[in-house]
Amino acid sequence: MAGSRLPRQLFLQGVAAVFLFAFASLYTQIPGLYGTEGILPARRTLRPQGKGPWQQLWETPTLLWEAPRLGLDTAQGLELLTLLGTLLALGALLLRQLRHLLVYLLLWAAYLSACQVGQVFLYFQWDSLLLETGFLAVLVAPLRQPSHHKQPPQGGMAGASPHEVLPFWLVRWLLFRLMFASGVVKLTSRCPTWWGLTALTYHYETQCLPTPAAWFAHHLPVWLHRLSVVATFLIEIAVPPLFFAPARRLRLAAFYSQVLLQVLIIITGNYNFFNLLTLVLTTSLLDDRHLAAEAGNNRRKKTPASWPKALLALPALLLELAVCGLLAFGTVHYFGLEVDWEQRTIHSRTTFTFHQFSQWLKMVTLPTMWLGGASLAWELLAALWRWTQVQGSLRKLWTAVQLSIFGTATVAMFLVSLVPYSYMEPSTHGRLWTGAHRLFGAVEHLQLANSYGLFRRMTGLGGRPEVVLEGSYDKQHWTEIEFMYKPGNVSRPPPLVAPHQPRLDWQMWFAALGPHTHSPWFTSLVLCLLQGNEPVIRLIQSDGARYPFHQQPPTYVRAQRYKYWFSQPGEQGQWWRRQWVEEFFPPVSLGDPTLDTLLRQFGLQDKSPRRARSSSNALAQALQWVRKQLSPLEAPTLLWGLILAVGAIRVLQALLGPRSSRASPPPGEEKHRPAPKKDPGAATDQAAPAPNSSNSGSQTARRKK
């Protein structure tokens, strides 16, 4: 982890960007999801039960308990939180001074507060991943930003405090848990498509919100789909242990393999901020040297390597060749890869059984924990060694305090994470140290560590199930209610939505996988459509004129289940084909006994009188004004506008920055510059990468003097 100053800054910027997208996307949907006329009003989730304020806050950790003190209801408090979170994340993304521990603590607390009242619409793995990553950013972020004009302190690693790299190691461990578990669960689920290497022949058309590129990917040759599944297993199961490899080139190879996988997923699927967040985690595999962080390294002459380094180069090269050869041999052997030169294809098949894989998993799960523990122990020892190099009694005492606090926090977070990581192998979970279980149980509700397992099973093998809502005034003529993002109209191309996540469209995909009784919120959605609640209608169509019942709510609403398939090449004007399957939700109207029974059964009847939203105080009026100004914009437009604004501001910052950081020395000055006098920090200054160009310029100015 040595030389990770620039990767840490990239990580903090990336986390701020993801928080920006998450908060802004959620803000646009609050009235329809959680408002007083929303599908699942947030005010029902926070009801005092006579407990003390601190106990209440600990059991349900959300800042929204304080909304009534501001004269706001829960939904308005949620709007305020998401707005402040958006602004704070935008500031941290643009200004280095705001990449501070307290800023990331506020971002994490705000998103945790939203998840406490988010109910089913915030029960996604990427929401949990963002909370865990956000808390790690709290530990990674510095207490104070170093001054550009201040000399790096003597001793240590490039002027960094000894403890700084320890929390950043947890980011690498989180990336390992995410990828390794996601690969393992595909096989432990016994899904026949993953075992038969046919998952990607279904994935592109059955995923929640495909992109236009998914249509083209779906029609690639079957042999290439099968080979892509093999590559997925290789990247998610075999490559992650290389995150902790001692050879730097192996870690960089692992980095680029993860980036390739995430970029391909981004191109073919609208997975909001999830893949961007995973890319942020991969920064933990980088170092300053790879990112060319060292100023002037293009002008500096390469010095010959010392004999110890030259002696170690050969074993490192042999290790890299051995690992690459082992990966290649294992892939060919366990997936039966054979090249058919006549047909120009590659045949593949799984050559191991579920029992063999289960035995292998039982054998390697505990060693992967020991691998993580050994890597962490090495980082602790390296940090302790760097502490011994610190000079000055007061500074040594202060760095010892910091090292103790952050070292303890890093070890504690590692132990907590072992519990959810061990869920993928039950026998290992049972043998885990009881202290880790107790520690995890104490903080589980804070979501500091979570279990992951993406794309466990492939759905829609006989066609993607899709729920289509219909409305009518006379129960004879039915009109389809088309959503903005999910498939509906067969002639409409799949949209580009990311990094926005339309959470209602996502839940409609899950609802189609089973009966409507498995998705109680769907009954509330039907009720809102019958009542003509505008905030809910805006979740379906932001342009009211495109909603077929914008003049008068429908008298009856029902839902049908269809099966959708991508159209075949050559079918002009069509992206989808569909076939009716069955009735998903019966026709109902307001006051219908069937509807009332379902609402009562699911506890969705609001027995308390509906209170009007507070608008008497200035804060509530300000929130209403902001909502009115932003309501004409569609959510993807708003998010892409933020992205363009950030890009424009960064360009202006680069153009209007101090000239001293961009000025290059006159020709010949470097040649005739006198050698600087040797001082105790000279070796450190030369060996350490300069954090930025302005610091390099200030050092040049001092040498001229």
Side-chain angles (χ1 to χ4, degrees):
M1 300 295 291
S4 62
R5 176 174 294 183
L6 189 54
R8 292 201 305 273
Q9 286 296 323
L10 286 176
F11 169 74
L12 293 175
Q13 291 182 71
V15 172
V18 174
F19 268 124
L20 172 68
F21 300 144
F23 280 122
S25 175
L26 181 59
Y27 170 78
T28 62
Q29 305 172 76
I30 289 174
L33 296 180
Y34 306 118
T36 54
E37 296 182 345
I39 300 173
L40 296 176
R43 64 187 180 90
R44 302 177 188 174
T45 61
L46 295 182
R47 293 180 177 174
Q49 300 177 353
K51 299 179 181 179
W54 291 109
Q55 182 182 1
Q56 184 175 258
L57 182 62
W58 175 253
E59 293 179 357
T60 308
T62 175
L63 299 174
L64 295 174
W65 287 115
E66 302 301 316
R69 296 190 180 186
L70 300 175
L72 307 175
D73 62 23
T74 306
Q76 288 174 321
L78 187 56
E79 287 189 18
L80 179 62
L81 265 186
T82 51
L83 276 176
L84 293 177
T86 301
L87 294 175
L88 202 59
L90 182 61
L93 181 58
L94 293 174
L95 300 176
R96 184 175 180 178
Q97 293 79 4
L98 288 180
R99 292 173 209 145
H100 189 276
L101 181 151
L102 292 179
V103 171
Y104 287 94
L105 181 61
L106 289 173
L107 290 172
W108 172 79
Y111 204 74
L112 178 64
S113 300
C115 288
Q116 295 301 310
V117 302
Q119 304 168 80
V120 69
F121 294 107
L122 277 169
Y123 286 173
F124 293 100
Q125 289 194 52
W126 36 85
D127 294 312
S128 300
L129 181 63
L130 179 55
L131 284 174
E132 186 170 351
T133 307
F135 188 79
L136 295 186
V138 175
L139 300 178
V140 172
L143 285 169
R144 62 182 182 85
Q145 293 291 350
S147 173
H148 294 312
H149 304 289
K150 187 177 180 180
Q151 283 277 15
Q154 297 176 2
M157 182 184 59
S161 298
H163 73 276
E164 288 185 357
V165 297
L166 290 178
F168 197 47
W169 178 90
L170 289 170
V171 179
R172 185 181 297 189
W173 172 244
L174 172 58
L175 177 66
F176 170 80
R177 290 192 290 117
L178 172 67
M179 302 310 301
F180 188 72
S182 295
V184 165
V185 298
K186 292 176 174 60
L187 295 175
T188 56
S189 66
R190 300 195 183 195
C191 177
T193 63
W194 287 117
W195 279 92
L197 307 181
T198 59
L200 292 185
T201 61
Y202 305 100
H203 164 73
Y204 296 112
E205 73 175 1
T206 61
Q207 62 183 317
C208 181
L209 297 177
T211 66
W215 186 92
F216 296 96
H218 176 73
H219 293 293
L220 291 173
V222 174
W223 69 267
L224 187 55
H225 284 160
R226 297 173 66 92
L227 189 62
S228 299
V229 175
V230 173
T232 301
F233 286 136
L234 176 67
I235 294 173
E236 292 187 345
I237 298 178
V239 170
L242 299 183
F243 297 169
F244 308 103
R248 177 174 171 269
R249 281 193 290 252
L250 290 178
R251 297 197 301 271
L252 293 177
F255 164 78
Y256 283 109
S257 68
Q258 303 302 317
V259 170
L260 174 64
L261 177 63
Q262 300 307 317
V263 169
L264 291 176
I265 296 175
I266 290 173
I267 293 173
T268 57
N270 288 293
Y271 289 97
N272 50 83
F273 57 80
F274 166 63
N275 303 107
L276 298 175
L277 182 55
T278 307
L279 288 173
V280 171
L281 295 178
T282 61
T283 58
S284 60
L285 303 176
L286 298 174
D287 53 54
D288 288 337
R289 183 153 61 97
H290 184 68
L291 295 174
E294 186 172 355
N297 60 353
N298 56 337
R299 298 192 304 266
R300 184 173 297 140
K301 295 181 179 180
K302 293 184 178 180
T303 57
S306 60
W307 68 266
K309 289 183 179 181
L311 192 62
L312 290 174
L314 180 59
L317 179 61
L318 293 177
L319 174 63
E320 293 163 3
L321 293 176
V323 170
C324 294
L326 185 63
L327 289 177
F329 172 79
T331 304
V332 172
H333 175 72
Y334 288 108
F335 294 100
L337 298 185
E338 296 179 359
V339 180
D340 189 335
W341 297 105
E342 294 182 0
Q343 299 183 1
R344 297 182 179 180
T345 61
I346 300 178
H347 299 291
S348 55
R349 58 187 176 85
T350 306
T351 61
F352 53 93
T353 64
F354 176 78
H355 175 72
Q356 290 173 328
F357 181 76
S358 298
Q359 292 300 115
W360 175 85
L361 183 61
K362 187 179 298 185
M363 181 178 64
V364 304
T365 302
L366 194 58
T368 57
M369 296 181 184
W370 285 112
L371 174 64
S375 178
L376 176 57
W378 175 262
E379 296 299 332
L380 288 169
L381 290 175
L384 187 61
W385 179 84
R386 289 193 296 272
W387 173 77
T388 62
Q389 308 303 306
V390 175
Q391 299 180 3
S393 301
L394 290 178
R395 176 170 172 76
K396 200 159 192 171
L397 178 61
W398 173 236
T399 53
V401 172
Q402 290 178 305
L403 182 58
S404 301
I405 294 174
F406 283 91
T408 302
T410 301
V411 173
M413 286 292 296
F414 174 71
L415 292 176
V416 167
S417 69
L418 293 179
V419 177
Y421 173 68
S422 64
Y423 287 160
M424 64 182 182
E425 211 292 296
S427 64
T428 304
H429 179 74
R431 288 185 294 162
L432 205 58
W433 180 46
T434 56
H437 285 283
R438 288 196 299 268
L439 192 59
F440 175 75
V443 298
E444 183 178 7
H445 64 296
L446 298 177
Q447 300 191 48
L448 301 184
N450 305 278
S451 60
Y452 303 100
L454 300 161
F455 303 107
R456 185 185 301 268
R457 299 185 65 88
M458 198 55 58
T459 59
L461 302 187
R464 68 172 292 145
E466 201 67 58
V467 172
V468 176
L469 280 161
E470 297 176 339
S472 173
Y473 292 117
D474 56 8
K475 213 175 182 179
Q476 299 297 323
H477 303 88
W478 294 90
T479 303
E480 291 187 8
I481 299 175
E482 186 176 356
F483 284 65
M484 285 184 290
Y485 307 116
K486 83 179 192 66
N489 187 344
V490 295
S491 61
R492 191 189 67 179
L496 291 173
V497 183
H500 171 58
Q501 181 183 5
R503 294 182 181 268
L504 176 58
D505 294 64
W506 269 87
Q507 287 299 334
M508 289 290 290
W509 182 82
F510 284 105
L513 301 178
H516 72 85
T517 53
H518 290 179
S519 303
W521 59 268
F522 190 85
T523 304
S524 181
L525 171 63
V526 171
L527 175 64
C528 291
L529 295 179
L530 290 170
Q531 293 174 339
N533 293 349
E534 183 182 353
V536 177
I537 294 173
R538 287 188 61 84
L539 294 177
I540 298 173
Q541 285 291 342
S542 60
D543 183 3
R546 300 185 62 181
Y547 182 68
F549 303 98
H550 63 277
Q551 294 181 344
Q552 181 182 350
T555 307
Y556 302 93
V557 170
R558 71 180 184 184
Q560 307 285 352
R561 196 198 314 264
Y562 287 82
K563 282 192 175 180
Y564 277 65
W565 298 270
F566 272 137
S567 62
Q568 295 297 321
E571 296 184 31
Q572 298 295 330
Q574 282 197 335
W575 288 82
W576 298 96
R577 294 178 293 115
R578 75 177 187 179
Q579 178 182 346
W580 182 84
V581 177
E582 60 183 352
E583 184 179 73
F584 179 78
F585 195 90
V588 294
S589 60
L590 290 176
D592 190 297
T594 301
L595 180 61
D596 292 340
T597 301
L598 288 172
L599 291 172
R600 189 166 51 251
Q601 176 184 346
F602 298 137
L604 296 172
Q605 280 186 327
D606 197 358
K607 299 179 181 179
S608 59
R610 184 176 293 182
R611 295 175 296 178
R613 291 171 66 91
S614 173
S615 59
S616 57
N617 60 41
L619 185 56
Q621 292 176 357
L623 290 173
Q624 292 175 4
W625 182 84
V626 173
R627 174 68 63 184
K628 184 178 180 180
Q629 301 305 312
L630 296 178
S631 58
L633 296 175
E634 288 190 19
T637 304
L638 176 62
L639 265 65
W640 278 103
L642 287 173
I643 294 173
L644 293 176
V646 169
I649 294 174
R650 295 304 293 266
V651 170
L652 287 176
Q653 287 178 335
L655 294 176
L656 302 178
R659 292 182 177 273
S660 60
S661 64
R662 304 194 306 268
S664 57
E669 181 184 21
E670 201 61 44
K671 181 185 297 185
H672 301 292
R673 178 181 300 165
K677 296 181 180 180
K678 293 184 178 180
D679 61 278
T684 304
D685 292 343
Q686 292 178 3
N692 49 49
S693 56
S694 62
N695 194 20
S696 177
S698 63
Q699 289 180 9
T700 302
R702 281 192 295 270
R703 287 175 181 173
K704 287 179 182 178
K705 292 179 182 179

